[in-house]
Amino acid sequence: MTTYIYMVRHGESPKTEGSERTRGLMEKGKSDACRITELLTGEGIEVYVSSPYRRAILTIEESARRSGQEILQFEELKEQKFSNEDIRMPDNELMPLLKRSFSDPSFALPGGETNHECQNRAITVLKQLLTTYQGRRIAVGTHGAVMTLTMGYYDKRYDLDFLLNTTKPDVYRMEFIGQQFVGVKRLWI
């Protein structure tokens, strides 16, 4: 039985507004969320899950509402924690950390988590979804690093270079037969 997992990276979010957990979407992110709604509606999504972070929820919220579904939130799908603070790290500080974390999956700053830890928590949820909702179409509101690490668990091509070339938003459809990974197709253009 084929199950499809749609990894939906959130839209553009203000870099200074609120905490990591509460940042919403910028106008472009809101506009793109409307396009995401049309794309997901056309795919016949049956289950909606998300990171608890507001920007991820807002990106798939209208699609879930239109299909009469609730969004199931999983703390384990939150963005990778790079430090012990709940604020967005400036790009000039984040980029060297990303590079180091992808070259050394056991690297983390104090209070942060390794790529391996982030990947394990996300994969635990994904495997649970594959069991619970086998044969269904599942949209996952997520973040760039979590999406990349999840996809990279199944295919090593999804690495730092891939992450750096994704967009906000972005949508990838992962195909599984049972728990067996079949492939990925990018749907966002």
Side-chain angles (χ1 to χ4, degrees), residues 48-51 57-58 60-62 64 69-73:
Y48 291 84
V49 301
S50 182
S51 154
I57 294 167
L58 289 172
I60 64 169
E61 186 174 60
E62 180 60 19
Q69 301 294 318
E70 290 183 37
I71 298 173
L72 307 172
Q73 295 178 37

PDB file of all heavy atoms in Angstrom, residues 48-51 57-58 60-62 64 69-73:
ATOM      1  N   TYR A  48      -3.219  16.064   8.139  1.00  0.00           N
ATOM      2  CA  TYR A  48      -2.347  17.228   8.285  1.00  0.00           C
ATOM      3  C   TYR A  48      -1.643  17.156   9.629  1.00  0.00           C
ATOM      4  O   TYR A  48      -2.290  17.019  10.665  1.00  0.00           O
ATOM      5  CB  TYR A  48      -3.153  18.528   8.211  1.00  0.00           C
ATOM      6  CG  TYR A  48      -3.705  18.798   6.834  1.00  0.00           C
ATOM      7  CD1 TYR A  48      -4.905  18.225   6.425  1.00  0.00           C
ATOM      8  CD2 TYR A  48      -3.016  19.601   5.945  1.00  0.00           C
ATOM      9  CE1 TYR A  48      -5.403  18.452   5.151  1.00  0.00           C
ATOM     10  CE2 TYR A  48      -3.507  19.826   4.667  1.00  0.00           C
ATOM     11  CZ  TYR A  48      -4.698  19.256   4.286  1.00  0.00           C
ATOM     12  OH  TYR A  48      -5.178  19.479   3.028  1.00  0.00           O
ATOM     13  N   VAL A  49      -0.318  17.247   9.589  1.00  0.00           N
ATOM     14  CA  VAL A  49       0.478  17.300  10.806  1.00  0.00           C
ATOM     15  C   VAL A  49       1.473  18.437  10.659  1.00  0.00           C
ATOM     16  O   VAL A  49       1.772  18.879   9.543  1.00  0.00           O
ATOM     17  CB  VAL A  49       1.204  15.970  11.101  1.00  0.00           C
ATOM     18  CG1 VAL A  49       0.228  14.830  11.233  1.00  0.00           C
ATOM     19  CG2 VAL A  49       2.241  15.655  10.061  1.00  0.00           C
ATOM     20  N   SER A  50       1.982  18.922  11.792  1.00  0.00           N
ATOM     21  CA  SER A  50       2.884  20.058  11.716  1.00  0.00           C
ATOM     22  C   SER A  50       3.780  20.142  12.937  1.00  0.00           C
ATOM     23  O   SER A  50       3.466  19.626  14.010  1.00  0.00           O
ATOM     24  CB  SER A  50       2.074  21.357  11.616  1.00  0.00           C
ATOM     25  OG  SER A  50       2.935  22.485  11.496  1.00  0.00           O
ATOM     26  N   SER A  51       4.859  20.854  12.719  1.00  0.00           N
ATOM     27  CA  SER A  51       5.661  21.393  13.803  1.00  0.00           C
ATOM     28  C   SER A  51       4.724  22.290  14.613  1.00  0.00           C
ATOM     29  O   SER A  51       3.772  22.849  14.067  1.00  0.00           O
ATOM     30  CB  SER A  51       6.776  22.248  13.184  1.00  0.00           C
ATOM     31  OG  SER A  51       7.226  23.239  14.069  1.00  0.00           O
ATOM     32  N   ILE A  57       2.524  25.956  10.861  1.00  0.00           N
ATOM     33  CA  ILE A  57       1.072  25.743  10.932  1.00  0.00           C
ATOM     34  C   ILE A  57       0.354  26.649   9.938  1.00  0.00           C
ATOM     35  O   ILE A  57      -0.519  26.198   9.190  1.00  0.00           O
ATOM     36  CB  ILE A  57       0.554  25.989  12.364  1.00  0.00           C
ATOM     37  CG1 ILE A  57       1.120  24.928  13.322  1.00  0.00           C
ATOM     38  CG2 ILE A  57      -0.974  26.001  12.408  1.00  0.00           C
ATOM     39  CD1 ILE A  57       0.925  25.246  14.790  1.00  0.00           C
ATOM     40  N   LEU A  58       0.726  27.935   9.922  1.00  0.00           N
ATOM     41  CA  LEU A  58       0.052  28.888   9.043  1.00  0.00           C
ATOM     42  C   LEU A  58       0.201  28.525   7.562  1.00  0.00           C
ATOM     43  O   LEU A  58      -0.684  28.817   6.762  1.00  0.00           O
ATOM     44  CB  LEU A  58       0.602  30.305   9.273  1.00  0.00           C
ATOM     45  CG  LEU A  58       0.218  30.955  10.603  1.00  0.00           C
ATOM     46  CD1 LEU A  58       0.983  32.262  10.790  1.00  0.00           C
ATOM     47  CD2 LEU A  58      -1.280  31.179  10.695  1.00  0.00           C
ATOM     48  N   ILE A  60       0.092  25.573   6.182  1.00  0.00           N
ATOM     49  CA  ILE A  60      -0.837  24.511   5.752  1.00  0.00           C
ATOM     50  C   ILE A  60      -2.242  24.661   6.335  1.00  0.00           C
ATOM     51  O   ILE A  60      -3.139  23.879   6.016  1.00  0.00           O
ATOM     52  CB  ILE A  60      -0.287  23.113   6.105  1.00  0.00           C
ATOM     53  CG1 ILE A  60      -0.159  22.911   7.612  1.00  0.00           C
ATOM     54  CG2 ILE A  60       1.026  22.859   5.382  1.00  0.00           C
ATOM     55  CD1 ILE A  60       0.134  21.485   8.033  1.00  0.00           C
ATOM     56  N   GLU A  61      -2.452  25.681   7.145  1.00  0.00           N
ATOM     57  CA  GLU A  61      -3.715  25.841   7.886  1.00  0.00           C
ATOM     58  C   GLU A  61      -4.953  25.927   6.994  1.00  0.00           C
ATOM     59  O   GLU A  61      -5.971  25.264   7.253  1.00  0.00           O
ATOM     60  CB  GLU A  61      -3.608  27.083   8.777  1.00  0.00           C
ATOM     61  CG  GLU A  61      -4.769  27.296   9.702  1.00  0.00           C
ATOM     62  CD  GLU A  61      -4.493  28.452  10.628  1.00  0.00           C
ATOM     63  OE1 GLU A  61      -4.289  29.595  10.148  1.00  0.00           O
ATOM     64  OE2 GLU A  61      -4.472  28.203  11.843  1.00  0.00           O
ATOM     65  N   GLU A  62      -4.902  26.728   5.963  1.00  0.00           N
ATOM     66  CA  GLU A  62      -6.086  26.906   5.116  1.00  0.00           C
ATOM     67  C   GLU A  62      -6.419  25.621   4.361  1.00  0.00           C
ATOM     68  O   GLU A  62      -7.590  25.274   4.197  1.00  0.00           O
ATOM     69  CB  GLU A  62      -5.887  28.065   4.132  1.00  0.00           C
ATOM     70  CG  GLU A  62      -7.075  28.322   3.225  1.00  0.00           C
ATOM     71  CD  GLU A  62      -8.381  28.664   3.941  1.00  0.00           C
ATOM     72  OE1 GLU A  62      -8.355  29.061   5.125  1.00  0.00           O
ATOM     73  OE2 GLU A  62      -9.456  28.533   3.310  1.00  0.00           O
ATOM     74  N   ALA A  64      -5.885  22.581   5.411  1.00  0.00           N
ATOM     75  CA  ALA A  64      -6.516  21.687   6.398  1.00  0.00           C
ATOM     76  C   ALA A  64      -7.962  22.123   6.662  1.00  0.00           C
ATOM     77  O   ALA A  64      -8.872  21.286   6.703  1.00  0.00           O
ATOM     78  CB  ALA A  64      -5.716  21.694   7.697  1.00  0.00           C
ATOM     79  N   GLN A  69     -10.145  19.097   8.139  1.00  0.00           N
ATOM     80  CA  GLN A  69      -9.225  18.354   9.001  1.00  0.00           C
ATOM     81  C   GLN A  69      -8.568  19.268  10.032  1.00  0.00           C
ATOM     82  O   GLN A  69      -8.336  20.437   9.777  1.00  0.00           O
ATOM     83  CB  GLN A  69      -8.120  17.702   8.157  1.00  0.00           C
ATOM     84  CG  GLN A  69      -8.615  16.748   7.108  1.00  0.00           C
ATOM     85  CD  GLN A  69      -9.278  15.526   7.710  1.00  0.00           C
ATOM     86  OE1 GLN A  69      -8.791  14.978   8.686  1.00  0.00           O
ATOM     87  NE2 GLN A  69     -10.397  15.127   7.132  1.00  0.00           N
ATOM     88  N   GLU A  70      -8.253  18.699  11.175  1.00  0.00           N
ATOM     89  CA  GLU A  70      -7.448  19.391  12.173  1.00  0.00           C
ATOM     90  C   GLU A  70      -5.978  19.162  11.843  1.00  0.00           C
ATOM     91  O   GLU A  70      -5.635  18.179  11.180  1.00  0.00           O
ATOM     92  CB  GLU A  70      -7.720  18.832  13.569  1.00  0.00           C
ATOM     93  CG  GLU A  70      -9.092  19.169  14.101  1.00  0.00           C
ATOM     94  CD  GLU A  70      -9.268  18.655  15.519  1.00  0.00           C
ATOM     95  OE1 GLU A  70      -8.293  18.687  16.306  1.00  0.00           O
ATOM     96  OE2 GLU A  70     -10.376  18.221  15.827  1.00  0.00           O
ATOM     97  N   ILE A  71      -5.129  20.042  12.330  1.00  0.00           N
ATOM     98  CA  ILE A  71      -3.690  19.860  12.189  1.00  0.00           C
ATOM     99  C   ILE A  71      -3.172  19.228  13.482  1.00  0.00           C
ATOM    100  O   ILE A  71      -3.312  19.818  14.549  1.00  0.00           O
ATOM    101  CB  ILE A  71      -2.970  21.196  11.917  1.00  0.00           C
ATOM    102  CG1 ILE A  71      -3.462  21.806  10.606  1.00  0.00           C
ATOM    103  CG2 ILE A  71      -1.451  20.991  11.886  1.00  0.00           C
ATOM    104  CD1 ILE A  71      -2.924  23.201  10.330  1.00  0.00           C
ATOM    105  N   LEU A  72      -2.615  18.055  13.358  1.00  0.00           N
ATOM    106  CA  LEU A  72      -2.020  17.377  14.506  1.00  0.00           C
ATOM    107  C   LEU A  72      -0.609  17.920  14.685  1.00  0.00           C
ATOM    108  O   LEU A  72       0.195  17.879  13.750  1.00  0.00           O
ATOM    109  CB  LEU A  72      -1.973  15.866  14.273  1.00  0.00           C
ATOM    110  CG  LEU A  72      -3.290  15.204  13.885  1.00  0.00           C
ATOM    111  CD1 LEU A  72      -3.056  13.755  13.488  1.00  0.00           C
ATOM    112  CD2 LEU A  72      -4.290  15.313  15.023  1.00  0.00           C
ATOM    113  N   GLN A  73      -0.324  18.456  15.865  1.00  0.00           N
ATOM    114  CA  GLN A  73       0.988  19.044  16.107  1.00  0.00           C
ATOM    115  C   GLN A  73       1.886  18.071  16.864  1.00  0.00           C
ATOM    116  O   GLN A  73       1.458  17.425  17.813  1.00  0.00           O
ATOM    117  CB  GLN A  73       0.845  20.334  16.910  1.00  0.00           C
ATOM    118  CG  GLN A  73       0.103  21.417  16.150  1.00  0.00           C
ATOM    119  CD  GLN A  73      -0.068  22.668  16.971  1.00  0.00           C
ATOM    120  OE1 GLN A  73       0.823  23.048  17.730  1.00  0.00           O
ATOM    121  NE2 GLN A  73      -1.207  23.320  16.828  1.00  0.00           N
TER     122      GLN A  73
END
